[in-house]
Amino acid sequence: MILDTLGVGLLGTSTEVFHKVTQYSKIYSSDLSSTIWGHLDFRLPPLYAAFVNGVAVHSMDFDDTWHPATHPSGAVLPALIALSEAFPQKKNISGLDLLLAFNVGIEVQGRLLHFSREARNIPRRFHPPAVVGTMGSAAACAKLLALDQLECKNALAIAASYAGAPLANAATQIKPLHIGNAAKNGLEAACLALQGLQGNKQILDMESGMGAFYTDYNPQTLPTLQSYPWLLDQQDVAIKRFPAHLATHWVADAASSVRRKLVESSESLLPIDKIEKVILKVPEVKYVNRPSPASEHEARHSFQFVACSALLDGSMSVQSFSSENIQRPALRELLCKTQLEHPPDNTPSFDSLYCQVSVTLRGGSTISDRCTTFYGHWRKPLEKEDLEKKFQSNVLNILPTEAMEGIIETVYNLEKVEDCSVLSTFLSGQSARALPEKLRFL
């Protein structure tokens, strides 16, 4: 999860929304500063480093997805890395410190989501990372700051008042800000709690607290630490192979399979003139129903666009969402022939949804295929080799090869790293030669 988040975050530094928020954040200055990923000579105060790096992580909707539905890592990791650089020089934050805090931040999000059955479905009202991500960021930063129990309660109370973002801003440039704000606001909540700011200590237990976000919120007493089952042990985390809303990944795999049945080789052109209609049987998710997307952000949230692109090209990639590919005539023609259907048994849950793609040709013959589990889903996780290939592909044009390899080696050995500032050094684009001698190897 950490390696994938760093990769999509570094790739996200090339996006328009990242450039806009970095330009905005330059108005802030501080004696303390943290690394902006992929930038050798640009640093920001920790809060705004967490913000812009968090925005980068979600700028392409390429980051991991948890079940129940949220993007867990992007809200936590940028805050922790920024905070780790803000400690006094005499206080080193180890890789194990970072790893423990990261796990706490993920676990808190999962526990809060599991207190609601509503949260297990694809959301309808608000974007979950803006709520549970903010809480997870606060919990993770509280762990890294070694706050006591009372301070932790206050950190979560403060974070709850920072939480929330309406789903109406999905498929726009604003959606990545939900992750950036979650990282920033959680870090700020922990820092304010450290200063003694106090909030409602029962924020997690009240209908007017976390219950304000979920109508069926029902908190439970957690088991003792000795018998505590960690949610990450269930491995319910999906890693995306292309940058789009997770529900579209079922569509892509089904459509790619249909294409293989329609054409003889990957180089062959799809016989669009022979296609009468394309039927997509998907769950009813209104904000991923976009028949004619006009921008990359709308295309990333369009069942129709992903299905038609996969039918035309045989697969999806980062380049699939370029303006040239979005506007190509063949795609537009195919979109006009595409319809959605919502079978009653196809519920909007990342754990149970399916997608069936059916292409009807002139003459009445129909070619169909169904995907129930795409490659990258927690039931069919990416192999380590493919995860590394994704990271390397994302980072290839952002960092030097030596820095890229340094990140991979550091992440895989994080629990052995004495000072996790080595990770920030690599993220800025510096090579191992820039490290003090004691940090050159783990």
Side-chain angles (χ1 to χ4, degrees):
M1 291 167 72
I2 290 175
L3 186 68
D4 186 63
T5 302
L6 295 176
V8 299
L10 284 160
L11 178 65
T13 63
S14 62
T15 61
E16 184 181 357
V17 63
F18 173 82
H19 291 304
K20 287 180 177 178
V21 298
T22 51
Q23 285 300 115
Y24 156 74
S25 298
K26 285 179 179 179
I27 67 174
Y28 295 94
S29 62
S30 169
D31 292 336
L32 292 174
S33 66
S34 301
T35 299
I36 302 305
W37 301 354
H39 289 69
L40 193 58
D41 300 316
F42 177 34
R43 298 172 67 87
L44 283 171
L47 285 179
Y48 284 89
F51 172 64
V52 299
N53 291 332
V55 169
V57 168
H58 198 59
S59 62
M60 292 184 175
D61 216 314
F62 209 4
D63 45 328
D64 56 18
T65 303
W66 173 273
H67 175 72
T70 195
H71 303 285
S73 299
V76 173
L77 192 60
L80 290 177
I81 292 177
L83 179 59
S84 71
E85 295 183 77
F87 277 81
Q89 290 299 312
K90 60 184 179 182
K91 167 67 173 171
N92 286 343
I93 302 299
S94 71
L96 184 58
D97 293 332
L98 185 74
L99 194 57
L100 286 169
F102 178 79
N103 274 268
V104 166
I106 302 301
E107 184 72 19
V108 164
Q109 293 179 72
R111 285 295 168 188
L112 291 174
L113 288 166
H114 275 76
F115 291 154
S116 163
R117 293 190 63 81
E118 177 188 334
R120 294 170 189 263
N121 291 327
I122 298 173
R124 293 176 180 270
R125 295 182 296 117
F126 62 86
H127 196 206
V131 176
V132 294
T134 306
M135 304 299 285
S137 173
C141 293
K143 174 65 176 172
L144 204 62
L145 288 167
L147 301 191
D148 63 29
Q149 188 181 75
L150 179 60
E151 291 169 331
C152 285
K153 288 181 178 181
N154 285 325
L156 292 172
I158 297 164
S161 283
Y162 283 168
L167 208 53
N169 274 323
T172 74
Q173 286 187 329
I174 293 177
K175 190 185 179 194
L177 271 63
H178 300 169
I179 297 287
N181 280 328
K184 169 184 170 291
N185 291 341
L187 172 53
E188 187 166 69
C191 291
L192 289 171
L194 182 64
Q195 295 300 316
L197 193 67
Q198 298 183 30
N200 192 316
K201 313 301 186 295
Q202 304 299 317
I203 201 77
L204 302 183
D205 305 322
M206 300 175 65
E207 185 178 346
S208 57
M210 283 301 296
F213 300 106
Y214 295 99
T215 56
D216 64 346
Y217 182 72
N218 184 28
Q220 306 293 316
T221 301
L222 298 179
T224 63
L225 191 59
Q226 289 73 24
S227 60
Y228 190 87
W230 290 90
L231 292 175
L232 262 184
D233 287 341
Q234 300 172 18
Q235 295 297 301
D236 283 0
V237 177
I239 303 294
K240 298 178 179 180
R241 288 177 292 131
F242 62 89
H245 188 278
L246 193 71
T248 66
H249 288 243
W250 279 268
V251 176
D253 278 18
S256 297
S257 180
V258 169
R259 177 193 162 83
R260 288 192 292 272
K261 297 177 181 180
L262 285 169
V263 300
E264 294 181 358
S265 70
S266 60
E267 289 78 24
S268 300
L269 295 176
L270 189 75
I272 299 178
D273 58 325
K274 297 180 181 179
I275 294 175
E276 287 196 345
K277 63 180 177 180
V278 179
I279 302 294
L280 310 180
K281 294 185 177 181
V282 294
E284 187 172 10
V285 183
K286 291 182 179 179
Y287 76 102
V288 196
N289 178 1
R290 299 180 187 273
S292 185
S295 69
E296 63 169 297
H297 296 283
E298 290 184 355
R300 297 184 201 283
H301 295 76
S302 170
F303 283 129
Q304 296 93 328
F305 175 85
V306 170
C308 293
S309 294
L311 282 170
L312 285 170
D313 303 328
S315 63
M316 298 296 294
S317 68
V318 172
Q319 288 72 36
S320 299
F321 301 92
S322 67
S323 58
E324 293 82 5
N325 279 327
I326 292 172
Q327 300 301 331
R328 55 185 164 159
L331 178 71
R332 291 288 150 182
E333 181 181 348
L334 202 53
L335 282 170
C336 292
K337 299 178 179 182
T338 302
Q339 304 168 26
L340 298 192
E341 292 183 1
H342 307 302
D345 68 329
N346 201 353
T347 57
S349 168
F350 289 141
D351 204 36
S352 60
L353 75 84
Y354 66 86
C355 172
Q356 182 170 310
V357 176
S358 299
V359 174
T360 301
L361 303 174
R362 280 205 313 263
S365 63
T366 299
I367 308 296
S368 298
D369 212 318
R370 176 183 289 203
C371 176
T372 57
T373 305
F374 67 87
Y375 182 45
H377 190 277
W378 45 88
R379 291 191 298 267
K380 195 187 291 186
L382 290 189
E383 298 290 341
K384 181 180 178 182
E385 179 183 2
D386 288 329
L387 178 68
E388 288 183 16
K389 284 180 180 177
K390 175 186 173 182
F391 175 82
Q392 291 164 342
S393 175
N394 285 342
V395 176
L396 190 61
N397 296 318
I398 308 297
L399 296 181
T401 300
E402 193 174 19
M404 177 176 69
E405 292 173 349
I407 291 172
I408 295 174
E409 187 173 14
T410 302
V411 169
Y412 282 155
N413 294 278
L414 201 53
E415 72 276 12
K416 304 173 188 175
V417 176
E418 293 184 6
D419 184 347
C420 70
S421 65
V422 61
L423 193 55
S424 296
T425 299
F426 289 137
L427 284 167
S428 73
Q430 296 183 66
S431 69
R433 291 188 295 273
L435 296 172
E437 189 65 37
K438 69 183 181 71
L439 293 178
R440 287 201 180 179
F441 204 74
L442 311 172

